[in-house]
Amino acid sequence: MQGFVRTLSVLTVALFAYGMPLKAAAATTLFGAAYGLFPIGWIILNLIFLYQLTVRKGLFEVLRNSLGSFAPDPRVQVILIAFSFGAFFEGAAGFGTPVAVTAAILIQLGFKPLQASGLSLIANTAPVAYGALGTPIIALSGVTGLDLKELSAMVGRQLPIFSLIVPFWVVWALAGFHGMLGVWPAALTAGVAFAIPQFLVSNFHGPWLVDIVAAICSMIAVGVLLKFWQPKDTWHGDNGEAVETGAPTALSAQIRQESLHELAGTAARAPRSPTSRDEIIRAWVPWGLLSLLVFLWGVPQVKKFLNDIAAPKYQVAGLHNVVVRTPPVVPILRSVMPRPTRCGSNNDLPWAISTGV
């Protein structure tokens, strides 16, 4: 319903405020809806499929427990799960998926539902520009005509600053300033390990793998840090009770049962014995394969090879060469008078290189 209201609002502004022809407005709406289904919807569909598969096999619970065992302190958990792990989901799927998944994990670890959702939203500010395999950057490049690599590099020179700040910010929102000081090494490690790959990948590779590579580096860095360092103080929740990993409150336990029932179609399992290394490896293998395949599909040579095999092109009826772009959207060339440029709507369907295939 919200999407319908937003679409109606945009159409009203386009038609009556800017005088856009009805035929062009309708074509633009249909084209945007089709783009929302593929590749955006295709990305989300397959990420949810993989997530549901791991939940039904019990692997996601193993993964969640492994993340919680790495970081018994809730302040470190919110860095590792909401920031680092959430960035991985943002890079792989985006569009709300990382917030939903990481908030569910935090709730199962004992966080309050509203608190978990808010913290996940805050943590999602750092990777969102390169979400869903760089979809925002790719879409902006297609609309403006700016070079994709240059656009990715420029965004990648600004975001690392915020990536350094967000881990501190999300812990501050959870535990206050003094609580944040107790885990500053973890926040700094997560931010630096995310910001540096974010800068390098966005500037020297492109927008496709920025979040995935940066998130993996951040999780590994925090995991290595926790082998040699643990918070000296013990943080307590707002209600004065210790928030302990593996000992959720009655409310969170109920939510855990309900969410597991809805997502997996089964009741929540009883507490399990400590998981073995083989089980942990099995739980991480699907996500490791996802990272590897996304990386391979993002290599320019692979993309070109697959596009040569199957990437049909077509023109959007009622929209092709209808929109006219003028400076400053169209660059002004030296010694050449700027001329209005008609914006073609040649679109391709690169299904062979789309995630999920």
Side-chain angles (χ1 to χ4, degrees):
M1 185 62 184
Q2 291 182 353
F4 175 77
V5 172
R6 291 169 184 170
T7 302
L8 188 61
S9 301
V10 171
L11 279 175
T12 302
V13 172
L15 291 172
F16 298 103
Y18 290 93
M20 188 175 186
L22 178 60
K23 183 179 180 180
T28 303
T29 302
L30 294 176
F31 177 62
Y35 189 83
L37 292 175
F38 190 93
I40 295 175
W42 187 241
I43 293 173
I44 299 174
L45 173 66
N46 287 279
L47 191 279
I48 293 177
F49 170 78
L50 181 59
Y51 170 63
Q52 293 274 19
L53 181 65
T54 58
V55 169
R56 290 180 180 273
K57 291 294 184 181
L59 297 177
F60 197 81
E61 185 177 359
V62 175
L63 186 146
R64 173 182 60 81
N65 292 335
S66 68
L67 288 172
S69 63
F70 276 139
D73 191 296
R75 296 168 296 178
V76 183
Q77 287 176 356
V78 78
I79 295 174
L80 188 61
I81 296 172
F83 177 74
S84 301
F85 197 50
F88 178 86
F89 276 94
E90 179 64 40
F95 304 102
T97 302
V99 175
V101 173
T102 56
I105 296 175
L106 291 175
I107 291 171
Q108 294 172 22
L109 289 173
F111 287 75
K112 298 177 181 178
L114 184 60
Q115 183 185 54
S117 301
L119 294 172
S120 298
L121 284 169
I122 293 174
N124 196 47
T125 56
V128 70
Y130 294 98
L133 303 176
T135 295
I137 304 297
I138 296 172
L140 183 60
S141 174
V143 171
T144 61
L146 297 174
D147 182 77
L148 179 63
K149 294 290 186 68
E150 293 182 0
L151 189 60
S152 172
M154 185 56 65
V155 175
R157 293 165 192 162
Q158 303 174 43
L159 274 184
I161 300 174
F162 298 95
S163 298
L164 289 171
I165 298 173
V166 169
F168 293 93
W169 179 18
V170 71
V171 177
W172 195 336
L174 170 68
F177 178 75
H178 293 289
M180 181 266 292
L181 292 179
V183 293
W184 71 264
L188 181 63
T189 301
V192 171
F194 188 91
I196 293 177
Q198 186 181 50
F199 171 80
L200 294 176
V201 177
S202 62
N203 278 264
F204 299 104
H205 180 268
W208 307 281
L209 302 174
V210 176
D211 285 344
I212 292 177
V213 173
I216 292 175
C217 293
S218 181
M219 286 188 286
I220 292 175
V222 174
V224 172
L225 173 69
L226 294 176
K227 294 290 185 180
F228 306 95
W229 171 89
Q230 290 291 335
K232 295 181 180 179
D233 60 340
T234 302
W235 179 76
H236 295 264
D238 296 335
N239 57 0
E241 298 178 358
V243 182
E244 300 176 359
T245 303
T249 61
L251 175 60
S252 61
Q254 178 184 357
I255 295 174
R256 175 186 177 185
Q257 292 179 355
E258 294 175 354
S259 61
L260 284 176
H261 181 72
E262 293 174 358
L263 294 175
T266 58
R269 295 179 176 86
R272 299 177 57 184
S273 58
T275 53
S276 64
R277 177 172 297 184
D278 291 340
E279 289 180 306
I280 295 176
I281 293 175
R282 285 185 59 213
W284 281 99
V285 161
W287 308 105
L289 289 175
L290 172 65
S291 304
L292 176 61
L293 293 176
V294 168
F295 174 79
L296 292 177
W297 258 240
V299 175
Q301 291 81 359
V302 176
K303 292 171 68 71
K304 183 179 182 305
F305 173 75
L306 294 175
N307 277 333
D308 291 340
I309 297 176
K313 299 182 181 294
Y314 60 92
Q315 296 177 353
V316 180
L319 194 58
H320 182 62
N321 285 337
V322 172
V323 179
V324 178
R325 294 187 296 186
T326 59
V329 175
V330 177
I332 301 177
L333 303 178
R334 294 180 180 179
S335 70
V336 178
M337 291 297 292
R339 296 180 178 179
T341 302
R342 290 193 174 273
C343 179
S345 61
N346 293 308
N347 194 45
D348 55 359
L349 191 65
W351 63 268
I353 65 169
S354 297
T355 180
V357 175

